[in-house]
């Protein structure tokens, strides 16, 4: 993955080439009600034979994103010992 956009405390965009998959991950931070709103967007372009799996990947990404966010929340809420 290569960071193609970086604005500290605001935005990070990474792009990669993993065989026939070309993911773009966007992490955005915004002030919200005295806290911070974190948004993660995953976009994957596929080429070649992987195009057959595009519909299935579209169904898997929301579940994986939910798992990522749950893990991030858990880590952020842990109190140092």
């Amino acid at each position: 993955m290569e960071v193609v956009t970086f604005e500290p405390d605001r935005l990070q965009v990474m792009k990669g080439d993993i065989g026939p998959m070309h993911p773009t991950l966007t992490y955005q931070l915004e002030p919200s009600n005295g806290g911070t709103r974190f948004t993660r967007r995953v976009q994957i372009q596929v080429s070649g034979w992987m195009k057959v799996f595009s519909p299935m990947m579209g169904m898997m990404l929301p579940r994986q994103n939910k798992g990522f966010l749950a893990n991030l929340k858990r880590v952020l809420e842990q109190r140092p010992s």
Side-chain angles (χ1 to χ4, degrees), residues 5 15 55 60:
T5 303
K15 292 187 177 190
M60 291 171 40

Side-chain angles (χ1 to χ4, degrees), residues 20-38:
M21 296 187 300
H22 314 286
T24 300
L25 283 74
T26 302
Y27 301 108
Q28 186 172 7
L29 301 165
E30 304 171 278
S32 177
N33 298 326
T36 302
R37 175 180 297 235
F38 172 76

Side-chain angles (χ1 to χ4, degrees), residues 1 4-5 10-15 23-29 38-43 65 68:
M1 300 296 289
V4 295
T5 303
R10 186 174 150 1
L11 179 69
Q12 179 175 337
V13 180
M14 299 181 296
K15 292 187 177 190
T24 300
L25 283 74
T26 302
Y27 301 108
Q28 186 172 7
L29 301 165
F38 172 76
T39 304
R40 177 180 189 244
R41 185 178 328 128
V42 178
Q43 298 168 295
N65 201 41
F68 172 88

Side-chain angles (χ1 to χ4, degrees), residues 58-71:
M59 294 184 329
M60 291 171 40
L61 282 175
R63 183 171 38 134
Q64 290 177 336
N65 201 41
K66 185 177 180 180
F68 172 88
L69 292 174
N71 189 48

Side-chain angles (χ1 to χ4, degrees), residues 41-59:
R41 185 178 328 128
V42 178
Q43 298 168 295
I44 300 178
Q45 298 292 327
V46 293
S47 59
W49 60 272
M50 282 296 289
K51 287 184 179 184
V52 173
F53 296 104
S54 289
M56 185 173 55
M57 290 171 59
M59 294 184 329

